[in-house]
């Protein structure tokens, strides 16, 4: 699968910063869906505030549990900071789905997915999920063998249901007939 060259920015598309940047359409591929940088930055800011408040609690001697918790909080802060700097992007074209996020890029053919849906869990974020078919990729992750699906994330510029609808429309149009 060929990866597209540099994606256009909101400024190049002539869109204000607050407007969702959806590039392309089913008739003019590729379609590009992006995560919202503002939402990810606010999540990172909340982690900084929580970490600061936890550090204000007076403790005589830090135990191993304190240090493990602070290390985990620091790791989460670095992870969400990297996600805010380079938000995830879904690139849909007739060949398949390209999922770029902060730490890697994964290519999936349309034949790998049966459907896309929104999963809303209590006390968790709403995520867009892609359910694999039996023809799915051979080794995308260890979770594929446990769940048969991949979570494509949350905090999209568009509502999660609209992202799932666009993914299903693209799969219906471009997936090979089985």
């Amino acid at each position: 699968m060929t990866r597209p060259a540099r994606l256009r920015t909101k400024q190049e598309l002539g869109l204000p910063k607050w407007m969702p940047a959806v590039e392309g359409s089913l008739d003019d591929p590729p379609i590009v869906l992006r995560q919202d940088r503002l939402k990810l930055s606010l999540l990172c800011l909340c982690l900084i505030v929580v970490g600061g408040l936890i550090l204000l609690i007076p403790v005589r001697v830090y135990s191993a549990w304190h240090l493990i918790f602070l290390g985990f909080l620091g790791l989460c802060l670095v992870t969400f900071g990297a996600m805010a700097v380079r938000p995830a992007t879904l690139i849909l074209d007739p060949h398949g789905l390209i999922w770029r996020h902060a730490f890697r890029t994964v290519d999936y053919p349309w034949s790998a997915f049966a459907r896309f849906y929104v999963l809303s869990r209590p006390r968790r974020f709403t995520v867009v999920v892609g359910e694999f078919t039996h023809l799915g990729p051979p080794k995308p992750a260890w979770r594929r063998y446990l769940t048969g699906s991949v979570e494509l994330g949350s905090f999209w510029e568009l509502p999660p249901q609209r992202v799932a609808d666009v993914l299903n429309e693209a799969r219906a149009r471009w997936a090979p007939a089985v």
Side-chain angles (χ1 to χ4, degrees):
M1 189 182 304
T2 61
R3 293 186 179 167
R6 187 181 78 77
L7 300 175
R8 294 179 288 179
T9 63
K10 288 184 180 183
Q11 187 176 23
E12 291 171 343
L13 291 170
L15 298 172
K17 290 186 178 183
W18 52 268
M19 182 176 279
V22 178
E23 189 177 333
S25 66
L26 290 173
D27 297 324
D28 182 28
I31 301 172
V32 180
L33 303 171
R34 295 177 175 90
Q35 279 186 330
D36 194 356
R37 185 171 283 165
L38 177 63
K39 293 175 186 175
L40 293 169
S41 299
L42 290 176
L43 182 64
C44 190
L45 182 65
C46 289
L47 282 173
I48 291 172
V49 169
V50 167
L53 291 176
I54 289 174
L55 289 174
L56 288 177
I57 298 172
V59 177
R60 286 182 178 225
V61 177
Y62 282 102
S63 69
W65 292 108
H66 288 102
L67 297 177
I68 289 172
F69 179 73
L70 289 175
F72 179 71
L73 187 66
L75 182 65
C76 289
L77 183 64
V78 168
T79 302
F80 284 112
M83 288 171 54
V85 170
R86 187 170 180 226
T89 305
L90 288 174
I91 303 169
L92 319 173
D93 64 5
H95 303 291
L97 167 69
I98 300 172
W99 181 31
R100 291 182 181 171
H101 53 94
F103 303 108
R104 66 180 177 166
T105 299
V106 184
D107 299 340
Y108 294 108
W110 288 116
S111 61
F113 293 104
R115 68 184 178 121
F116 296 94
Y117 59 94
V118 174
L119 183 61
S120 196
R121 298 180 189 150
R123 295 183 290 167
R124 289 223 30 213
F125 302 110
T126 303
V127 295
V128 178
V129 178
E131 185 178 303
F132 289 124
T133 62
H134 64 285
L135 303 172
K139 295 180 183 176
W142 60 271
R143 291 179 294 178
R144 189 253 191 263
Y145 299 105
L146 298 176
T147 63
S149 62
V150 62
E151 289 185 3
L152 297 174
S154 56
F155 301 115
W156 297 100
E157 289 183 339
L158 296 175
Q161 185 60 52
R162 180 66 185 134
V163 172
D165 291 343
V166 169
L167 287 165
N168 281 322
E169 288 173 18
R171 187 189 62 79
R173 183 160 186 175
W174 292 324
V178 178

